[in-house]
Amino acid sequence: MAQISENKVVTITYDLSVTDDNQEKVLVESAEADAPMVFLFGQSGLPEEFERQLDGKQAGDSFTFSLTPEQAYGEYDEQAVVDIPKNVFEIDGQVDQEMLQVGNFLPMADNQGHHMQGKVVEIGPDSVKMDFNHPLAGMVMHFDGKVAEVREATQEELDHGHVHGEGGHAH
């Protein structure tokens, strides 16, 4: 039976909880059997410690572990909350009011062309306050799940750096 290791395609189900301000665990995400998480181990872009916790497991194995902010998406950074001129959001001279709503995540790029997601926090008359922290920054994350499948990656998946087909990327 295949074990999780570099360049294997891994399918897992899990519940993700975070510790809230009252030190209570709050469920924030579930990946169930009908929509599992599928990723290419070692090329997933997931936190290193997340992958390290799964390394060597095989289909049928359960897992329970926690990640501190330092092991995951870092501490919350107030400097990652910025005001952006409203005209940046104009398309043909008009702001898309559907898109520009508090709570929406928008794909953005910095002046070096790096892509990131920003959350609309506040909309002012001339600017938009955006939060570029990862949504789980500053949080202790608790995973409780099961390995559903481990298989060899195809050469095409290795060449592209992501999973294709069921649960993966379609070209």
Side-chain angles (χ1 to χ4, degrees):
M1 189 175 273
Q3 288 188 327
I4 296 175
S5 62
E6 194 78 16
N7 295 328
K8 295 278 197 293
V9 172
V10 179
T11 303
I12 61 173
T13 58
Y14 65 88
D15 286 334
L16 166 59
S17 300
V18 296
T19 305
D20 70 8
D21 295 338
N22 299 321
Q23 301 307 304
E24 302 281 328
K25 285 186 182 178
V26 178
L27 182 68
V28 294
E29 182 178 281
S30 288
E32 304 292 337
D34 60 341
M37 179 182 191
V38 181
F39 62 97
L40 183 56
F41 193 84
Q43 296 188 46
S44 67
L46 294 164
E48 273 183 50
E49 184 62 17
F50 178 90
E51 286 197 347
R52 197 183 74 67
Q53 291 287 337
L54 296 175
D55 198 5
K57 295 195 180 311
Q58 53 193 26
D61 287 353
S62 294
F63 56 86
T64 299
F65 61 87
S66 297
L67 300 181
T68 64
E70 295 77 25
Q71 295 170 318
Y73 297 105
E75 293 295 341
Y76 188 84
D77 181 5
E78 293 292 341
Q79 306 245 326
V81 181
V82 296
D83 287 316
I84 298 175
K86 209 175 206 177
N87 65 353
V88 167
F89 300 93
E90 290 180 359
I91 299 169
D92 298 328
Q94 297 289 315
V95 173
D96 181 346
Q97 299 302 331
E98 292 271 316
M99 171 189 73
L100 204 56
Q101 303 229 356
V102 172
N104 279 1
F105 285 88
L106 305 177
M108 307 280 291
D110 65 14
N111 49 11
Q112 282 95 37
H114 300 117
H115 293 278
M116 60 191 113
Q117 290 277 5
K119 181 180 179 182
V120 178
V121 178
E122 185 180 302
I123 302 168
D126 301 316
S127 66
V128 177
K129 188 175 297 269
M130 300 283 296
D131 184 347
F132 290 99
N133 282 289
H134 187 281
L136 295 169
M139 297 184 189
V140 176
M141 302 184 329
H142 309 279
F143 291 90
D144 186 14
K146 189 170 191 173
V147 179
E149 182 183 0
V150 180
R151 68 168 173 82
E152 294 292 333
T154 65
Q155 189 58 52
E156 184 180 36
E157 289 169 326
L158 293 173
D159 291 346
H160 290 198
H162 57 247
V163 178
H164 290 179
E166 185 89 17
H169 190 79
H171 286 277

